[in-house]
Amino acid sequence: MVKTDNLLNSILSLGLPKDILKNPSIVIEGHNVIREVPYPGISIEKRTHEDRIEVRINVLPGVVVEKPVHMCLSKLGSGDQLIDITVDVGEGAKVKMISHCAFKGKNLKHISRTKFRVRKGASLEVSEIHYHEKDTDIVIDAKSEGVVEERASYKSLFKIDSNNAGKVRVEYVVDILDHAVADVETKIAGRDGDEIYVKDIMYLKGKYSRAIAKSRLMALGDTKAEFYGETYGLGDYSRGHIDCSEIVRSENVTVKAIPIVVVNNETAKVTHEAAVGSIDKKQLETLMARGLDEDEAVDVIVKGMLR
Amino acid sequence: MEPILKVNNVKLTVDGKAILRGVNLEVDRGEIHAILGPNGAGKSTLAKLIMGIEDLKSPTEGEIIFDGKVINGLEVYERARLGITLAWQEPARFEGVTVEEYLRLSARNNPDVDIRKCLEEVGLVPEVYLKRFVDDSLSGGERKRVELASILAFRPKFVVLDEIDSGIDFTSIEDIQKILETMREEGITVLMITHNEKLLDVADRASLLCGGKVLETSDPQSIKRKFEECKVCDILDFERKEGRDGKDG
Ligand SMILES: Nc1ncnc2c1ncn2[C@@H]1O[C@H](COP(=O)(O)OP(=O)(O)O)[C@@H](O)[C@H]1O
Ligand SMILES: [Mg+2]
């Protein structure tokens, strides 16, 4: 118990909101579940293996979860964390999940494979927020694949904005059926030595399906950052939009933004915008005219943009 | 008493074009000093040189002296830390930064500043505005008021206000008058670029900037009259326009 408390304290000390343990939550350090506060109507099955952990989350049909369900995934020290997550949101259910990912140490690897299904008329909102301690050296490989069924909605946010992001690969592949909506957003700030790759693939299969794939990547040091977005307008009257903006603040950066639009249905419409630019000088100078030096000013602007 | 700001024979040439041709100006401690002058006279350029923004950190010739110290070449934040600040004609917008956060970072060295009071001073209800974002969702007038509140929170020794009245409706001019008076009460010296009659009423002195030079410094009303009669200004203004049109054509 003492050991668990110490562990929880070290995890929380990385900057996580303190109240997360009050809400329904599950805390996984490495491949072990160290704490769980259940919520009626949600079943969480865990299976621990030598080299990975499996987590199956089922939200029963019609269950509306008022408070967000918190998941805390952490790895302190070194080594790998492999997580297979399955999320099944039953018909008409409504749930919001927040994953706080806390990492500290060297030679870390966090690999997650998420399969989700948002059934008819249901709603799933997920956020994955990373907390990396200073000088953490990590590889992140997060892939989410899923289906948003008829009239269902899926909204996701993936965000890293603390110290070094690491070598990051984030991938989404989403099928969107009739009248369903998907909104996928990625916000990552990269600093010296970081490599960021974000890939969003959206299949607008259903009629009147809608999708937005949005990414904000900041190259604040010697960073590689690449966004690749593909949206397929296949269903009748489907609508998609890819929005990617990358901010550069260093000489040694390689940034790419590649939006690809494939439409094979004359009633479908997919648009895109991609912008690569530097931090607005007037914003910088406005803050500097209040006494912030350039780094402090950049920090305020970037935090705001990644909010 | 030494003036808080002295502009000594400041010349600025950009791409071979003389924009300021020897500006001399003294701003006294605690006064509200207005700058009048035709379009293209160099008013905003002078403001930028004082703050050091838009890569205008040093004039081609001459000195800008603040509080007894030559500030030529200093970075924007170094000038701010000496007590200089500036409000842009069109203030920048910040995505994801709340009014509260913006005011707090302006006030970060003044622990006794009450940011709610700063908002009230500029006619904004704190309960309504603290959690709003300083982004495109604020109207032009609201954004300008927030900027003035942030100046009150920053408590500079000296502020340059470049056409603070533009884009603000007529009824709000009286609010700005009050804000200027508050600034004066708090000991902030104000250099404001404006032609607004009501704002000139609040000014202690004014200077006429024309053709890249200060032609005269006096009481606001006589400067206003001079500006309106000023044939030199008309001619210069005309010549500039002709010159520009000539180049474009
Ligand atoms: N960066 C610049 N490069 C070249 N010319 C400029 C620049 N900025 C301003 N000017 C010119 O300098 C003159 C003074 O401009 P400005 O200071 O904006 O005048 P005011 O504010 O009095 O209307 C104008 O003729 C303008 O076109
Ligand atoms: Mg101007």
Side-chain angles (χ1 to χ4, degrees), chain B residues 24-245:
Chain B
N24 287 295
L25 176 71
E26 294 194 348
V27 181
D28 288 337
R29 239 164 253 278
E31 75 169 334
I32 298 179
H33 194 121
I35 301 267
L36 282 80
N39 277 337
K43 304 180 298 293
S44 293
T45 305
L46 178 62
K48 289 170 194 168
L49 268 172
I50 294 171
M51 192 72 241
I53 55 174
E54 293 181 27
D55 294 323
L56 293 179
K57 292 197 179 12
S58 289
T60 314
E61 242 182 79
E63 282 176 343
I64 300 179
I65 301 167
F66 181 76
D67 233 351
K69 186 178 177 287
V70 177
I71 59 169
N72 291 18
L74 290 189
E75 294 295 329
V76 180
Y77 69 90
E78 291 173 315
R79 295 171 202 235
R81 289 174 189 181
L82 292 176
I84 307 174
T85 198
L86 175 141
W88 273 254
Q89 199 169 323
E90 271 297 325
R93 311 278 178 155
F94 296 91
E95 229 181 278
V97 177
T98 63
V99 168
E100 178 169 2
E101 288 160 348
Y102 188 59
L103 296 185
R104 283 209 193 290
L105 62 90
S106 302
R108 63 184 186 154
N109 293 322
N110 312 323
D112 58 318
V113 159
D114 180 352
I115 59 163
R116 305 176 73 88
K117 198 159 161 269
C118 297
L119 279 176
E120 283 164 2
E121 300 271 18
V122 301
L124 299 178
V125 180
E127 286 69 30
V128 177
Y129 283 92
L130 281 171
K131 299 286 173 232
R132 293 276 304 268
F133 288 101
V134 191
D135 60 10
D136 293 337
S137 66
L138 292 178
S139 73
E142 287 170 328
R143 177 66 190 91
K144 279 205 164 167
R145 284 170 195 259
V146 168
E147 203 55 17
L148 289 168
S150 99
I151 289 166
L152 292 174
F154 182 54
R155 249 190 225 157
K157 290 183 186 160
F158 184 92
V159 62
V160 187
L161 305 176
D162 190 355
E163 304 206 25
I164 195 69
D165 46 280
S166 77
I168 286 202
D169 59 78
F170 187 71
T171 48
S172 318
I173 291 292
E174 273 139 38
D175 288 351
I176 300 182
Q177 276 183 320
K178 277 193 218 115
I179 298 164
L180 288 170
E181 275 158 2
T182 307
M183 287 180 176
R184 182 161 47 198
E185 279 160 28
E186 295 195 355
I188 301 171
T189 306
V190 179
L191 183 65
M192 65 170 174
I193 298 165
T194 187
H195 291 141
N196 187 283
E197 199 73 49
K198 291 199 165 171
L199 295 188
L200 286 175
D201 281 347
V202 193
D204 300 294
R205 291 200 301 159
S207 293
L208 179 59
L209 183 70
C210 186
K213 279 186 170 187
V214 171
L215 299 185
E216 195 176 335
T217 297
S218 183
D219 66 280
Q221 287 317 315
S222 25
I223 292 298
K224 172 89 179 160
R225 269 196 308 279
K226 286 254 159 57
F227 167 59
E228 275 157 6
E229 298 163 354
C230 184
K231 293 286 174 286
V232 188
C233 294
D234 280 351
I235 291 162
L236 281 171
D237 208 13
F238 179 75
E239 278 177 355
R240 269 163 194 273
K241 277 182 196 141
E242 286 288 288
R244 213 179 300 144
D245 292 348

Side-chain angles (χ1 to χ4, degrees), chain A residues 239-254:
Chain A
R239 294 284 179 267
H241 185 63
I242 306 173
D243 173 355
C244 165
S245 71
E246 299 188 30
I247 295 283
V248 176
R249 190 176 170 259
S250 170
E251 310 257 295
N252 288 310
V253 289
T254 321

